Amino acid sequence: MGRDATCAHLFVYGTLMPAATTRLGTEQRARLLAEGTHLGRGFVEGQLVDLGDYPGLCVTGERGRVVRGDVFALNSPVATFGWLDIYEGIEPDELVPEYRRVTLPVLMHNAASETIRAWAYVLQTAPDPRTLLDAELWPGHCGRV
C-alpha cells in the first residue's frame, strides 16, 4: 500500500458507487461520473465494515476475502481528490481521520481479468469485529437511505 502520485484510478465500494441509491453521496456520485470514466467492476482483498449509513474497507492482508466495487479513471486526479478527500474526512487539520487514501491492486472484472492499481479509501483503525460484514458487496448500495 502506498501513495502513488502517478495513479489516476479510483476504486469505490460504498456511497460513491454509480448504482448506490443512498441520499448520502448523491452529489458526489454525479460529480465523480462527470470527472472520470467508469471502467467497470473490480475486486480488492479486504473486508467490508458496517459503519451505519456507509461502509468502510478494512485491508487485513487475509487472502480469500474480497470486496467488490467500481473503478474509475480520473480525468484530473489532483482536482478530484481535492474534494473527495474532504468528503471522506481526510483534511489537513484532522488529527486522526477515519480513512486514509492508499493505492491497492484491483482485479478487474473484465475479459482480460487484468490487475491494475487504484486509489481506495481504507479504514485507519481496526474495526469492532461485530461490525464486519460477511459480504463482498455493500448491502446498502441498493436502497438503504
Side-chain angles (χ1 to χ4, degrees):
M1 290 186 286
R3 285 195 156 258
D4 180 359
T6 63
C7 183
H9 294 111
L10 172 67
F11 175 81
V12 297
Y13 54 87
T15 62
L16 294 172
M17 293 176 71
T21 57
T22 61
R23 282 191 296 264
L24 180 63
T26 300
E27 292 174 28
Q28 292 81 4
R29 281 191 298 276
R31 190 168 179 184
L32 183 58
L33 284 166
E35 294 182 17
T37 302
H38 183 243
L39 300 179
R41 290 212 169 128
F43 298 88
V44 298
E45 285 188 356
Q47 190 166 6
L48 287 173
V49 177
D50 184 0
L51 298 173
D53 292 332
Y54 56 92
L57 172 60
C58 181
V59 178
T60 63
E62 181 183 333
R63 295 239 180 247
R65 295 200 75 89
V66 296
V67 170
R68 185 171 81 187
D70 289 279
V71 179
F72 286 86
L74 303 176
N75 300 329
S76 179
V78 172
T80 300
F81 286 124
W83 61 266
L84 268 178
D85 285 354
I86 293 169
Y87 176 70
E88 297 291 355
I90 299 174
E91 301 176 41
D93 60 343
E94 192 82 23
L95 291 178
V96 181
E98 186 172 30
Y99 293 100
R100 68 184 189 279
R101 180 167 42 95
V102 299
T103 56
L104 298 172
V106 179
L107 175 62
M108 294 299 295
H109 183 67
N110 58 24
S113 293
E114 63 188 321
T115 298
I116 64 169
R117 294 214 51 93
W119 289 103
Y121 290 90
V122 300
L123 290 172
Q124 284 271 69
T125 58
D128 179 332
R130 295 173 294 184
T131 63
L132 293 173
L133 296 172
D134 191 25
E136 62 183 43
L137 181 63
W138 178 47
H141 84 288
C142 55
R144 186 165 145 198
V145 179

